[in-house]
Amino acid sequence: MPETERVASFTFRRQLTVEWGQCDPAGIVFNSRFFEMFDTNTWLLFEAALGVKPQDLGAHFGIIGIALVDTRGNFLKPVKFGDTVEITSRISEFRRSSFDVEHRITRGEELAVEGSESRVWTTRRKDDPDKIAAGAIPAEVIAKFG
Amino acid sequence: MPETERVASFTFRRQLTVEWGQCDPAGIVFNSRFFEMFDTNTWLLFEAALGVKPQDLGAHFGIIGIALVDTRGNFLKPVKFGDTVEITSRISEFRRSSFDVEHRITRGEELAVEGSESRVWTTRRKDDPDKIAAGAIPAEVIAKFG
Amino acid sequence: MPETERVASFTFRRQLTVEWGQCDPAGIVFNSRFFEMFDTNTWLLFEAALGVKPQDLGAHFGIIGIALVDTRGNFLKPVKFGDTVEITSRISEFRRSSFDVEHRITRGEELAVEGSESRVWTTRRKDDPDKIAAGAIPAEVIAKFG
Amino acid sequence: MPETERVASFTFRRQLTVEWGQCDPAGIVFNSRFFEMFDTNTWLLFEAALGVKPQDLGAHFGIIGIALVDTRGNFLKPVKFGDTVEITSRISEFRRSSFDVEHRITRGEELAVEGSESRVWTTRRKDDPDKIAAGAIPAEVIAKFG
């Protein structure tokens, strides 16, 4: 398998119960709330795989962050106030300086939402630290998700 | 102690870790997010005390809901991305058809945020079900918080 | 051009200035906020094209709503606290009972965010009004976006 | 009138229409959203009075910000999806290094929500710039709200 298509099998699961304030007048989760859930799950996926707390990730790896450049949600089943769901997240692909995260929200056996994120390993430019650049993701990071 | 000042000792505690999307450019929890936390804690306090799931509360007691009429937050210490806090909630006073909830957010030994809510036990008017009225809170409900 | 690929040229533009509470610790708009902006722009696009207020859309057309089934955001440039942006939205495709909305967020001449939504014209099933079905979008509706 | 009770008569008004994503399953604005509205109105009140854009306020006055330490909302009437409301804000009191903001949300002639905020003029300590201190609000700032 080429470097650019390494698939990570490490997965992170989180259970949550839908809150009143996350729902819209139709009584179901308002779509933007799923993107909050995805974002948090990505941070927690990294914490689980690397053992580094989200707030320490930048300092630990000398990066600015893991900037989101693209995200998508596909809403298959409505998720309602009080529903307990599980969000399962994993890296679906690592590239040189970016990676994709796959999120699946299930309610019992049923797949309710599929999501994805593309993120960039964001660093400061060595010749101009005020500027941002995509950095190479360390092999040790990728290995932890293997 | 008069009926209008019955203090409930039943408390509900929930631990949570502050998410990236809950924080503002100062790196601390944006104030509106605390009101989301308060609201959810009130639903969970009722579930813990009464054994009724939030989404079933209306049907179970024949009410429309527990409408929020007043809320306040007092921010003593900044709460930052990644901080783990505990939210402790209890009913501080039951009145005939309304009640107050007290919320305290602590980080370790430190009190970071104090909050309060006043809510009304909201029912439909018997003579005109399209209209809303404050109903008497059942004694059995109050007893569960005693 | 086949029925399933009718492109609507009617566009709706809205200007807004990024608020403090919409930004994350990096000082830029948190991604979920863009999906709030997209959702609102779709409602306003319909209001502008059809002359029907968002809260009246269901009753006016005898539908439950315009349920979101898929959405995507592509973040090309960071959008910062205080930035004034313009969100331009249009229907990119009408199908029998669903349609796609295209959103573009620009800051000055610069394209900052591209978004898309797929939505379903949602009705009640005639044989079982408790169940939801995709309904045919009225020709008069499509014509208004032409 | 003593220094600690100077009331500012300068007011800022903003009209807005309630969005779908701001409403809860009861079809009314979820309470945390009002605190987002209050926060934004305070920034815009300062911009209107001082002629300084929100994102420039810190640099312009050499402060960290106008930190919120206390806020309250009193919900008199439900505000529904699609309602057009007006938020009127003014400084109700300036103290040496803190001030109170009063917000009123009206729908037509009707007062729907009353809110308040207490904020601190936040600076860096001269002897230790890593620490935060309450600074004296410049007389020229207070004068602009007179």
Side-chain angles (χ1 to χ4, degrees), chain C residues 99-114:
Chain C
F99 57 95
D100 297 335
V101 191
E102 177 193 284
H103 304 285
R104 291 165 57 88
I105 301 184
T106 52
R107 182 179 41 203
E109 296 299 305
E110 189 175 56
L111 179 63
V113 179
E114 284 185 307

Side-chain angles (χ1 to χ4, degrees), chain B residues 16-142:
Chain B
L16 60 81
T17 298
V18 172
E19 303 174 18
W20 175 263
Q22 293 175 318
C23 295
D24 67 18
I28 61 173
V29 175
F30 183 62
N31 89 85
S32 76
R33 296 292 190 166
F34 288 119
F35 294 96
E36 297 181 359
M37 297 176 195
F38 295 161
D39 187 82
T40 296
N41 248 44
T42 296
W43 288 105
L44 295 175
L45 168 65
F46 270 73
E47 181 175 3
L50 304 177
V52 179
K53 287 188 178 296
Q55 64 271 39
D56 299 331
L57 199 66
H60 189 91
F61 292 105
I63 58 175
I64 295 174
I66 47 173
L68 185 71
V69 292
D70 198 281
T71 189
R72 181 175 181 175
N74 184 216
F75 313 110
L76 306 166
K77 300 284 177 188
V79 182
K80 299 184 301 294
F81 172 47
D83 282 357
T84 297
V85 296
E86 189 171 77
I87 312 183
T88 306
S89 303
R90 66 181 193 98
I91 309 286
S92 56
E93 184 181 335
F94 272 116
R95 289 173 298 270
R96 184 191 165 277
S97 57
S98 64
F99 58 94
D100 296 336
V101 191
E102 178 193 283
H103 304 284
R104 291 165 59 88
I105 301 183
T106 51
R107 183 179 41 201
E109 296 299 303
E110 188 176 58
L111 177 63
V113 179
E114 285 185 307
S116 63
E117 297 180 320
S118 294
R119 291 177 177 265
V120 171
W121 193 259
T122 311
T123 59
R124 298 189 188 284
R125 272 175 53 177
K126 279 179 190 160
D127 59 333
D128 184 350
D130 284 348
K131 294 220 172 111
I132 282 174
I137 303 170
E140 69 191 85
V141 166
I142 296 173

Side-chain angles (χ1 to χ4, degrees), chain A residues 14 19-21 33 36 39-40 43 54-55 81-83, chain B residues 14 19-21 33 36 39-40 43 54-55 81-83:
Chain A
R14 177 171 60 124
E19 304 174 18
W20 175 263
R33 296 292 190 165
E36 297 181 357
D39 187 83
T40 295
W43 287 105
Q55 64 270 38
F81 172 47
D83 282 357
Chain B
R14 176 172 60 123
E19 303 174 18
W20 175 263
R33 296 292 190 166
E36 297 181 359
D39 187 82
T40 296
W43 288 105
Q55 64 271 39
F81 172 47
D83 282 357

Side-chain angles (χ1 to χ4, degrees), chain A residues 3-46:
Chain A
E3 282 262 312
T4 54
E5 289 180 14
R6 276 187 293 186
V7 170
S9 58
F10 186 92
T11 59
F12 171 76
R13 286 189 169 74
R14 177 171 60 124
Q15 216 177 58
L16 60 82
T17 299
V18 172
E19 304 174 18
W20 175 263
Q22 294 176 317
C23 296
D24 67 19
I28 61 173
V29 174
F30 182 63
N31 88 86
S32 77
R33 296 292 190 165
F34 288 120
F35 294 96
E36 297 181 357
M37 297 176 194
F38 295 161
D39 187 83
T40 295
N41 248 43
T42 295
W43 287 105
L44 295 175
L45 168 65
F46 269 74

Side-chain angles (χ1 to χ4, degrees), chain C:
Chain C
M1 199 187 302
E3 282 261 312
T4 55
E5 289 180 14
R6 275 188 295 186
V7 170
S9 58
F10 187 91
T11 60
F12 172 75
R13 285 189 171 76
R14 176 172 60 123
Q15 216 177 57
L16 59 81
T17 299
V18 172
E19 302 174 20
W20 175 263
Q22 294 175 318
C23 295
D24 66 19
I28 62 173
V29 175
F30 182 63
N31 88 86
S32 76
R33 296 293 190 166
F34 288 119
F35 293 97
E36 298 182 357
M37 297 176 195
F38 295 162
D39 187 82
T40 296
N41 247 45
T42 296
W43 287 105
L44 295 176
L45 168 66
F46 269 74
E47 180 175 4
L50 303 177
V52 179
K53 287 187 178 297
Q55 65 269 40
D56 299 332
L57 198 66
H60 189 92
F61 291 105
I63 58 174
I64 295 173
I66 46 173
L68 185 71
V69 291
D70 197 282
T71 188
R72 181 175 182 175
N74 184 216
F75 312 111
L76 307 166
K77 300 284 176 187
V79 181
K80 298 184 301 296
F81 172 46
D83 281 356
T84 297
V85 296
E86 189 172 76
I87 311 182
T88 306
S89 303
R90 66 180 194 99
I91 309 286
S92 55
E93 184 181 335
F94 271 117
R95 290 174 296 272
R96 185 190 164 276
S97 57
S98 64
F99 57 95
D100 297 335
V101 191
E102 177 193 284
H103 304 285
R104 291 165 57 88
I105 301 184
T106 52
R107 182 179 41 203
E109 296 299 305
E110 189 175 56
L111 179 63
V113 179
E114 284 185 307
S116 63
E117 297 180 320
S118 294
R119 290 179 177 265
V120 170
W121 193 258
T122 311
T123 58
R124 297 187 189 284
R125 272 176 53 178
K126 279 178 190 160
D127 59 333
D128 185 350
D130 284 348
K131 294 221 173 108
I132 281 174
I137 304 171
E140 70 190 83
V141 167
I142 296 173
K144 292 277 180 65
F145 289 91

Side-chain angles (χ1 to χ4, degrees), chain A residues 72-93:
Chain A
R72 181 173 180 175
N74 184 216
F75 312 111
L76 306 166
K77 300 283 176 187
V79 182
K80 298 184 301 296
F81 172 47
D83 282 357
T84 296
V85 296
E86 188 171 77
I87 312 183
T88 305
S89 304
R90 66 180 193 100
I91 309 286
S92 56
E93 183 179 337

Side-chain angles (χ1 to χ4, degrees), chain D residues 8 34-35 53 68 83 95 103:
Chain D
F34 288 120
F35 293 97
K53 287 186 178 296
L68 185 72
D83 281 357
R95 290 173 297 271
H103 305 284

